[in-house]
Amino acid sequence: MNISSTISTSYTSPYDAYKYYTRIGGLASGLDTDSIIQGLMSIQKARYNKLYQQQQLLQWQREDYMNMANEIASFRDYVFDLRVSSSKFISMKAWGDAISGGYIDAAPTANSLVGDYQIKVDQIATPAFMFVSKISSTDLANIQNSPEKAIWVYVNDDNAGNVSIDIKTSNPQDSKYIKIDVSNLDVDGFERALASALKSTGKVDAYYDNVQGKLFIKRLQTGALTAFNLNSEISSIQKDSTMYSNGQNAKVSIKIGNVDYWKDQEFSQNTFTFLGTVITLKKETLVNGVFTYQSFAISKDVDSTINNIKEFLSKYNDLIDKIYSKITERPNREFQPLTEEQKSQMKDDDIKKWEEAAKKGLLYNDSILGSFLNNVRYWVYEKVDSLPEEINQLTDIGIETYSYFDGNKAGKLYIKDEEKLRKALENDPNSVYKLFTASVGTLDDYKKTDPQTGKTYYDYNGYLLKQGLLQRIYYFSKDVINKIYEKAGKPYFTSSYDPNSYIGKQLRYIATQMNAELDRLEKIEERYYKQFSLLESLMSQMNAQSSWLSQQFSSK
């Protein structure tokens, strides 16, 4: 009986698997041979059961490691997003009549210039469009009777100021053109096919109105054109000279305070950037028939930034708490993994409670997680050498850490002085941002050579001292995840162990021992049955002799 070297995490004891036939014993002796042998085998199985329990504990431990790796990886990804999102630490907000009145949308960035502004929108950027007459049934019939039985269309925007729709009835031998087979189309079908082909270019939108008998073509990009033309080789398909527009640019004026800054500035699109703020025009600032200035302001959104920092502290503390709980949870040696025989004698609820107790403490005093916890606690509180002395550690912005003697709060971060944090964000938000996100060089920049031995090494401390808090956490998170994978295996081994990991090698060794033990047990059990079989044979002979003697005496 062989146990696979790639054992499922839901593996159950295979001991009974080799009992593939039924034995009948005790016919002569009257003994319950099976029960007696199984009683003897239960003593012999002690070592196998011990190996099975060791295997189960390692599988549970691997699951615990994978769960912790997932928790840390999730936090690592969150930290990475924070590192590259300046708006999380330098939050800005836009407000004012221009916004509430629906004239503009304003999306400030971390680089937006704080101030009071006024905006006047004289016109919104619009796209060029045209209405085109439908094809006549005569022209369609002529094309259908031609050798090609097709037309070719192309939206020519090679000259940005002069865009045209080109329709040809003979093959232009140019791959830029789209071919439309019209052999089986009526007039309405032709127009719908033409609209579909034009839309597929990604340059215009098109819709056929069969009530008016016109094809509407609109450029997807806004802005004024010198011309928006139709070049058609089909005489009945022509641009309506009274229903078209070459589009128009947006026209905007903006004041800083009461001083003109932009005067009649034109844009081909309705979205543009003004002093770091992305502005989208929604409608003209027309009030009672007069174009007027509408006010808006850009200011620091300190409350939003504080909430983002609180969210970070909460996620950080949650991770610290989960790791601390795991490495301080003591194992209960009285609860060992249950064998299949033991489970067969218990209720499901009792099995569940037993296994919950048996799974406790599998990462107690774990060196990998413990080292990660100590490193993160230390470096998140250490000064950032690349920053000015005024704001180069958390205490400078009112954030403290609980004492290591505060039980389950040990090493967690909390805002001790929110007013201090608020003032730092109001007066110097960029330094607060750098405190969290500073990234100075790479680890390779801190590769050094020992002058005495000539050996190269990395100055990890020198590297970490220059990095912001999030970069430090990210570094240690990546490091501990790799160490967990080395010990417990890669996460893609979901239902079996990674044979190259430390735990995987242990499981493989145990599997080998279990295979050998199963072979030994099978041989022992076979020997027991042979011995009892011999006993049955002797008892049978004795019974036969006894019966013969009894018959002899009874016949005299």
Side-chain angles (χ1 to χ4, degrees):
M1 173 68 183
N2 182 59
I3 300 175
S4 171
S5 60
T6 308
I7 299 174
S8 168
T9 54
S10 60
Y11 176 79
T12 57
S13 173
Y15 170 71
D16 292 331
Y18 64 78
K19 298 177 185 176
Y20 49 83
Y21 56 89
T22 303
R23 304 175 190 259
I24 301 175
L27 295 178
S29 63
L31 298 174
D32 186 350
T33 305
D34 245 10
S35 297
I36 295 172
I37 291 177
Q38 292 311 308
L40 294 170
M41 289 302 298
S42 65
I43 300 172
Q44 295 290 343
K45 283 194 294 182
R47 185 171 184 275
Y48 175 86
N49 289 338
K50 188 69 175 177
L51 290 170
Y52 174 72
Q53 290 173 330
Q54 291 174 4
Q55 180 196 68
Q56 185 64 76
L57 287 172
L58 284 172
Q59 289 170 343
W60 285 343
Q61 187 183 54
R62 180 183 181 275
E63 290 174 10
D64 272 1
Y65 271 125
M66 290 297 99
N67 290 336
M68 293 312 304
N70 289 338
E71 293 285 352
I72 296 170
S74 177
F75 185 67
R76 176 204 60 194
D77 295 342
Y78 166 74
V79 164
F80 178 83
D81 291 340
L82 279 183
R83 281 170 49 205
V84 299
S85 178
S86 57
S87 62
K88 293 289 186 179
F89 295 98
I90 308 178
S91 299
M92 311 292 280
K93 61 182 178 180
W95 51 280
D97 293 341
I99 297 170
S100 62
Y103 299 106
I104 66 169
D105 282 339
T109 67
N111 298 319
S112 293
L113 184 65
V114 171
D116 297 320
Y117 307 98
Q118 298 180 64
I119 187 169
K120 178 165 70 76
V121 183
D122 291 312
Q123 62 186 38
I124 299 293
T126 59
F129 69 86
M130 68 173 81
F131 281 89
V132 177
S133 57
K134 69 178 180 179
I135 191 170
S136 67
S137 57
T138 301
D139 284 343
L140 178 57
N142 289 336
I143 297 171
Q144 289 173 335
N145 292 327
S146 69
E148 290 89 352
K149 293 181 172 50
I151 65 168
W152 288 260
V153 297
Y154 172 53
V155 179
N156 188 345
D157 60 352
D158 295 339
N159 182 347
N162 192 339
V163 179
S164 66
I165 308 297
D166 298 344
I167 302 176
K168 295 184 177 298
T169 56
S170 59
N171 192 342
Q173 303 299 325
D174 189 335
S175 61
K176 293 185 293 188
Y177 281 79
I178 299 172
K179 180 181 178 181
I180 303 175
D181 183 352
V182 303
S183 56
N184 296 313
L185 299 177
D186 58 12
V187 170
D188 284 351
F190 174 92
E191 295 296 331
R192 285 192 290 270
L194 177 57
S196 177
L198 290 170
K199 290 175 69 173
S200 71
T201 66
K203 298 176 182 179
V204 297
D205 196 4
Y207 177 78
Y208 173 60
D209 182 356
N210 62 348
V211 176
Q212 296 294 326
K214 293 183 182 295
L215 179 67
F216 175 66
I217 305 172
K218 181 180 71 173
R219 192 166 176 250
L220 292 179
Q221 291 185 359
T222 57
L225 296 176
T226 304
F228 188 39
N229 293 320
L230 174 68
N231 300 321
S232 172
E233 293 183 350
I234 304 172
S235 60
S236 58
I237 298 180
Q238 296 298 325
K239 174 181 174 180
D240 190 325
S241 60
T242 64
M243 300 178 68
Y244 78 94
S245 169
N246 288 336
Q248 69 179 22
N249 291 333
K251 187 181 291 185
V252 183
S253 299
I254 298 181
K255 292 181 178 182
I256 300 178
N258 292 314
V259 178
D260 287 330
Y261 184 74
W262 278 0
K263 187 68 175 175
D264 294 333
Q265 189 76 35
E266 290 195 22
F267 300 95
S268 63
Q269 297 180 343
N270 288 312
T271 298
F272 55 87
T273 300
F274 170 74
L275 300 180
T277 297
V278 179
I279 292 178
T280 300
L281 305 180
K282 307 296 287 184
K283 64 181 181 180
E284 298 164 344
T285 55
L286 195 62
V287 180
N288 297 325
V290 179
F291 290 100
T292 61
Y293 280 92
Q294 298 292 322
S295 62
F296 71 98
I298 306 297
S299 60
K300 296 171 185 175
D301 191 357
V302 175
D303 289 336
S304 178
T305 303
I306 289 176
N307 288 336
N308 290 333
I309 291 175
K310 286 180 177 179
E311 180 187 60
F312 162 72
L313 297 180
S314 175
K315 289 181 180 292
Y316 171 85
N317 289 337
D318 285 346
L319 181 65
I320 294 298
D321 187 55
K322 288 174 182 177
I323 295 174
Y324 182 79
S325 297
K326 276 295 180 183
I327 65 175
T328 57
E329 181 184 62
R330 293 180 177 274
N332 193 334
R333 305 298 182 190
E334 296 180 3
F335 292 88
Q336 292 298 310
L338 297 168
T339 65
E340 292 305 304
E341 291 174 325
Q342 290 171 325
K343 288 181 182 179
S344 66
Q345 301 170 16
M346 299 171 65
K347 296 179 180 178
D348 289 342
D349 287 345
D350 293 334
I351 293 172
K352 182 179 178 180
K353 291 176 182 178
W354 184 285
E355 290 191 340
E356 286 175 355
K359 289 180 179 180
K360 288 185 177 179
L362 294 176
L363 299 180
Y364 177 66
N365 274 344
D366 182 74
S367 60
I368 295 175
L369 294 173
S371 176
F372 169 73
L373 198 60
N374 291 334
N375 284 329
V376 169
R377 283 171 169 174
Y378 174 80
W379 284 104
V380 80
Y381 205 61
E382 187 67 12
K383 291 182 178 181
V384 179
D385 279 1
S386 58
L387 299 181
E389 196 66 31
E390 292 76 19
I391 298 180
N392 67 358
Q393 67 179 141
L394 286 176
T395 53
D396 296 330
I397 59 173
I399 298 176
E400 299 277 359
T401 181
Y402 286 106
S403 167
Y404 284 88
F405 303 102
D406 280 343
N408 61 357
K409 289 185 177 181
K412 291 184 180 180
L413 299 172
Y414 69 103
I415 298 176
K416 184 178 182 180
D417 189 345
E418 187 167 324
E419 189 59 31
K420 189 175 184 179
L421 174 59
R422 186 175 294 276
K423 286 182 178 179
L425 291 169
E426 289 172 348
N427 299 329
D428 194 0
N430 200 49
S431 291
V432 177
Y433 170 60
K434 288 181 178 178
L435 174 63
F436 282 93
T437 64
S439 180
V440 181
T442 65
L443 191 55
D444 286 336
D445 297 329
Y446 294 84
K447 192 174 183 179
K448 297 184 177 181
T449 303
D450 189 315
Q452 295 181 344
T453 64
K455 294 182 178 180
T456 58
Y457 67 95
Y458 288 100
D459 180 12
Y460 292 102
N461 282 1
Y463 168 73
L464 291 168
L465 282 169
K466 299 292 184 182
Q467 311 307 314
L469 308 184
L470 297 179
Q471 179 66 17
R472 293 171 178 177
I473 293 172
Y474 187 78
Y475 167 80
F476 285 116
S477 296
K478 285 180 61 179
D479 179 66
V480 72
I481 289 171
N482 288 333
K483 288 179 179 177
I484 289 175
Y485 290 165
E486 287 175 6
K487 183 168 184 179
K490 302 294 191 301
Y492 47 76
F493 287 92
T494 54
S495 62
S496 61
Y497 63 77
D498 179 353
N500 297 316
S501 66
Y502 176 77
I503 289 180
K505 291 175 181 177
Q506 286 184 299
L507 286 170
R508 184 166 55 186
Y509 175 71
I510 289 174
T512 301
Q513 289 186 305
M514 290 174 71
N515 285 330
E517 189 63 16
L518 283 176
D519 289 341
R520 187 184 73 87
L521 291 172
E522 187 174 4
K523 290 175 182 178
I524 291 174
E525 187 180 53
E526 188 64 28
R527 190 181 76 239
Y528 282 151
Y529 273 108
K530 285 181 178 179
Q531 289 173 342
F532 274 92
S533 178
L534 178 59
L535 174 64
E536 288 295 318
S537 177
L538 294 174
M539 289 293 293
S540 178
Q541 292 177 18
M542 187 182 70
N543 288 340
Q545 291 176 352
S546 176
S547 177
W548 181 79
L549 289 173
S550 178
Q551 290 176 0
Q552 294 301 317
F553 284 118
S554 63
S555 62
K556 291 184 179 181

